[in-house]
Amino acid sequence: MSSRRMRATASRTLGVWETTAAHQRAIALAGLGAVLAALGRRPDLLVIAAPLAVAAVWGQLARPRVTVEATARLTDVTLREGQAVALHVVTEPVVPDVHGVVTLAQVPFVDRQPGSGIALLDDGAATLGVRSTRWGRRRVGTVSVTLTSAWGAFRVGPEELPDLDTATLPVPAAFDASAPTPHPRGIVGLNRSNRPGSGSEFNTIRAFHPGDRLRRISWPVSLRTGTLHVTSTFSDEDAHVMLLVDAFSDLGPREGIDGRPTSLDVTVRAAGAMSEHFLRSNDRLTLRTVGAAEVPMLGTGSGTNHLRRVLDTLALITPASERRDTGEHALRGVDPNALCLVLSPLIDQTMVGLAHTLAARGMTVVVVDTFPEHLVAGTGDVYQALAWRMRLLSREAQVSSLRLRGVPVVPWRGPGSLDQVLRDIARRASAPRLSRR
């Protein structure tokens, strides 16, 4: 699904052992001290240079002569926001009397443990903690390995290993809807239909007919009337839901899972929450993205595996990476009986136009407003507050145009955000209509 494959393991040969500046100074000072002691007949200089000579000889004799290979491995490449994973670094073969240091570079939205990103190799192995704080496909910081022999005489590195990749899935926000999904047409869902059948919603009690199941017999009514009666139910059906995600803008400071969300954070997490709710109700779901490049259109599916595909697709979004996207490709092949949920902060005019287009085609459209309120709350800059006020006035005009067309615009508030509007849509669908003769 991604244009580049996730890399969980990276290996590289550390190269040849080279002398350090400390070893070169020890050799030079020991030789110079010996020459000056001989020429000046100064045995005290020989005594002073002796430890340096011993350290230089010892370091030369303990010089490693093997080629070492370093390997970095992540225990998991698919994470959730705020989840931590272990990064193991191993050097082979293990050289005795060698000290090693592993350094992990700092990158945005990745926390290191320890915070310095430095760990010592113990018997050729070291472990660091990596915590991803924001959804998306990103690279873990560069891992570099340095090995030093006894007395710091020879060193290999620092050698940088190839970067490792992680896919951080968005954590769905809390969402639940007690209202049924409108326009159910399938046979495997949990939504009540308008026709009798095998289901869980009570319809009526009627006389027994050949073919009725025995477990449907209502024994109290049968004993009272003297004839067999059964409990009739409404059939359960599934509905089709299409999510249209706005990726044109990412408003607000990007603070990750531990801070305030941006507009795209709210949009992506709301899409994940709605997908989880509808798919757990056995509804069919389609995901389309507008304004992001290299994000595939996710076809219709249901079940837990489809939820994982939805979260993987949302993690691929790069905001405003395709500004020329008109959204026409996202509207192709949409089921006319589907419930279209447009998730957008309603800043880009393209998304407003797409909502008008869907409504003009006679489809059931609900716009979920994902504009974060903290962007305009408590703005200290006078000019910034004035700019937001002007932009919100224009945005209010766009929202009014949608409502005049009959498209409800619902602010995202988590659980229960869509209850009232879904009930209104179901009530409108069951209302009598005028017909021409």
Side-chain angles (χ1 to χ4, degrees):
M1 185 174 292
S2 175
S3 58
R4 57 183 176 90
R5 189 175 180 181
M6 296 293 100
R7 184 196 296 269
T9 305
S11 301
R12 176 164 292 176
T13 303
L14 298 184
V16 298
W17 294 86
E18 299 178 350
T19 57
T20 63
H23 186 56
Q24 295 174 1
R25 286 195 300 268
I27 295 176
L29 292 176
L32 181 61
V35 172
L36 293 178
L39 295 178
R41 297 180 180 181
R42 295 281 304 274
D44 54 335
L45 294 178
L46 188 61
V47 172
I48 294 175
L52 297 176
V54 171
V57 173
W58 192 345
Q60 187 67 34
L61 294 177
R63 174 186 180 181
R65 290 175 173 81
V66 296
T67 302
V68 181
E69 182 180 13
T71 302
R73 179 177 60 86
L74 288 171
T75 55
D76 196 357
V77 294
T78 303
L79 311 176
R80 288 294 185 99
E81 287 181 292
Q83 181 181 353
V85 66
L87 173 63
H88 300 289
V89 180
V90 179
T91 57
E92 294 179 348
V94 179
V95 183
D97 299 330
V98 168
H99 304 279
V101 177
V102 177
T103 304
L104 177 62
Q106 186 175 9
V107 294
F109 309 119
V110 175
D111 292 342
R112 304 170 298 176
Q113 185 63 33
S116 61
I118 300 175
L120 299 179
L121 287 168
D122 185 9
D123 292 333
T127 301
L128 296 95
V130 177
R131 178 174 177 264
S132 181
T133 60
R134 194 169 190 256
W135 57 271
R137 299 290 178 98
R138 62 188 78 262
R139 295 186 184 274
V140 178
T142 303
V143 178
S144 60
V145 181
T146 305
L147 300 180
T148 307
S149 66
W151 292 98
F154 292 87
R155 182 182 67 182
V156 58
E159 189 71 27
E160 296 182 353
L161 276 62
D163 290 340
L164 303 177
D165 304 314
T166 60
T168 305
L169 305 182
V171 175
F175 175 74
D176 189 18
S178 59
T181 309
H183 311 309
R185 298 187 63 190
I187 58 175
V188 297
L190 301 179
N191 300 298
R192 200 200 84 171
S193 68
N194 295 324
R195 55 187 175 85
S198 179
S200 57
E201 291 289 336
F202 175 79
N203 180 15
T204 185
I205 295 179
R206 57 173 176 79
F208 178 84
H209 295 159
D212 289 337
R213 296 186 178 184
L214 297 180
R215 62 185 179 88
R216 293 289 187 182
I217 296 178
S218 176
W219 292 108
V221 178
S222 300
L223 292 174
R224 186 173 63 252
T225 60
T227 58
L228 287 178
H229 284 71
V230 295
T231 301
S232 175
T233 59
F234 290 103
S235 63
D236 294 333
E237 298 179 332
D238 61 333
H240 186 190
V241 180
M242 187 195 77
L243 298 182
L244 190 63
V245 177
D246 178 7
F248 277 112
S249 55
D250 190 12
L251 306 176
R254 302 178 182 181
E255 300 176 358
I257 191 67
D258 300 324
R260 296 171 299 177
T262 65
S263 61
L264 191 57
D265 289 340
V266 177
T267 302
V268 169
R269 292 166 187 166
M274 292 181 180
S275 301
E276 185 176 11
H277 169 75
F278 289 117
L279 291 176
R280 292 190 185 279
S281 300
N282 291 334
D283 290 331
R284 291 168 287 120
L285 187 132
T286 303
L287 178 66
R288 306 289 173 87
T289 304
V290 183
E294 299 182 358
V295 178
M297 292 191 301
L298 190 61
T300 306
S302 60
T304 307
N305 292 333
H306 193 62
L307 175 61
R308 173 60 186 272
R309 289 191 288 268
V310 169
L311 296 179
D312 285 338
T313 303
L314 292 174
L316 289 173
I317 294 177
T318 302
S321 54
E322 186 54 72
R323 300 294 303 178
R324 297 174 296 177
D325 191 359
T326 60
E328 291 297 329
H329 70 287
L331 304 185
R332 296 174 183 172
V334 179
D335 186 359
N337 293 307
L339 171 63
C340 300
L341 299 177
V342 181
L343 289 85
S344 171
L346 298 177
I347 295 298
D348 195 280
Q349 181 63 33
T350 303
M351 297 304 298
V352 180
L354 291 178
H356 281 286
T357 302
L358 291 172
R361 295 180 182 180
M363 304 181 66
T364 304
V365 185
V366 177
V367 177
V368 181
D369 185 2
T370 58
F371 185 83
E373 296 181 352
H374 65 81
L375 292 182
V376 295
T379 304
D381 191 351
V382 177
Y383 298 101
Q384 184 178 0
L386 179 60
W388 270 119
R389 183 181 178 184
M390 296 173 60
R391 185 64 188 90
L392 291 180
L393 288 174
S394 175
R395 179 176 176 272
E396 185 63 28
Q398 297 173 355
V399 172
S400 299
S401 67
L402 289 172
R403 288 173 175 166
L404 288 176
R405 184 179 281 272
V407 178
V409 180
V410 183
W412 173 253
R413 294 293 183 269
S417 298
L418 302 180
D419 283 352
Q420 186 61 43
V421 67
L422 292 182
R423 290 193 185 98
D424 293 341
I425 292 174
R427 191 180 301 112
R428 183 179 60 187
S430 61
R433 299 182 179 180
L434 295 175
S435 60
R436 296 182 179 180
R437 293 186 178 181

